[in-house]
Amino acid sequence: MIFDPAAFGLTPPLDLVNLPPEKTALSIENLDLYYGETQALFNINMRIPKGQVTSFIGPSGCGKSTLLRCINRMNDLVEHTRVTGRVMLNDTNVYDKHIDVADLRRQVGMVFQRPNPFPKSIYENVIYGLRLQGVKDARTLNDAAESSLRAAALWDEVKDRLNESAFGLSGGQQQRLVIARAIAIEPEVLLLDEPTSALDPISTLTIEELINALKTKYTVVIVTHNMQQAARVSDQTAFIHMGELVEYKDTDTIFTTPSDKRTEDYITGRYG
Ligand SMILES: Nc1ncnc2c1ncn2[C@@H]1O[C@H](COP(=O)(O)OP(=O)(O)O)[C@@H](O)[C@H]1O
Ligand SMILES: [Mg+2]
């Protein structure tokens, strides 16, 4: 008998190859990236579903961060970088020469490995992006601060110290603060590059629960070198090896029945 996930109340995995446009947040097409003469990404093609969590896994140096940074053009900041191919966000290619990169980064927020709060109060950190946009109304700013901190699962811990320096928070709290700052401007996509690798196990679990909650509102793409984390948080997982997208499937399939030998070797810990 064919296993029918729906019969068990489970959502069947999406068909990532034929993902329809209305379910697609990002479509990466024939993407190559060169750092100077060295090619770091080779003909990447993938559709990233809306409102889900997608992980990039693979050995150190395989190109996970490079691929993530292509999505909001953070690689533009690296000299001598050349990209060919397309990254479609809705109906626009983010590499189109008419794209306003600042605007793109408002739509596609990013959180890095080390929490990077600004030397300001907790409150000012969260509303930083809104101030940049020229929002002045105190009520609007207060509401945004509260709802973003709640969404980042930090409100209860900081509501009585909003005017204190963000540097007084623990590492895990700082990372949630940075996530609150990213979502305060309501991006469509949130990119997380190893967001828990500098955190203790308890803070890591808190962030993982948060990621799971965020996908009701945002499309989340996360780079992790921690396979258990990918298995816990993501709906689909992409295995990258030496700049190539080797296998991209729903997370269960990648971890239980990978079809490529390189994926299998990686998830069984043969290299890493
Ligand atoms: N700014 C850069 N300039 C030149 N080469 C780089 C740069 N950043 C990364 N690379 C190279 O690109 C490859 C992929 O790196 P990266 O995307 O950081 O891998 P990962 O995140 O999977 O560890 C590596 O060989 C790395 O040395
Ligand atoms: Mg990296």
Side-chain angles (χ1 to χ4, degrees), residues 73 76 85-88 91-101 104:
R73 292 185 48 178
D76 286 15
R86 308 200 300 177
V87 175
M88 301 300 294
D91 291 329
T92 45
N93 176 11
V94 309
Y95 284 95
D96 189 291
K97 58 178 184 300
H98 304 297
I99 287 286
D100 174 347
V101 178
L104 168 67

Side-chain angles (χ1 to χ4, degrees), residues 61 63-66 69 113 193-194 223:
K64 304 179 294 295
S65 298
T66 299
R69 290 195 301 256
Q113 203 164 336
D193 194 349
E194 304 205 16
V223 165

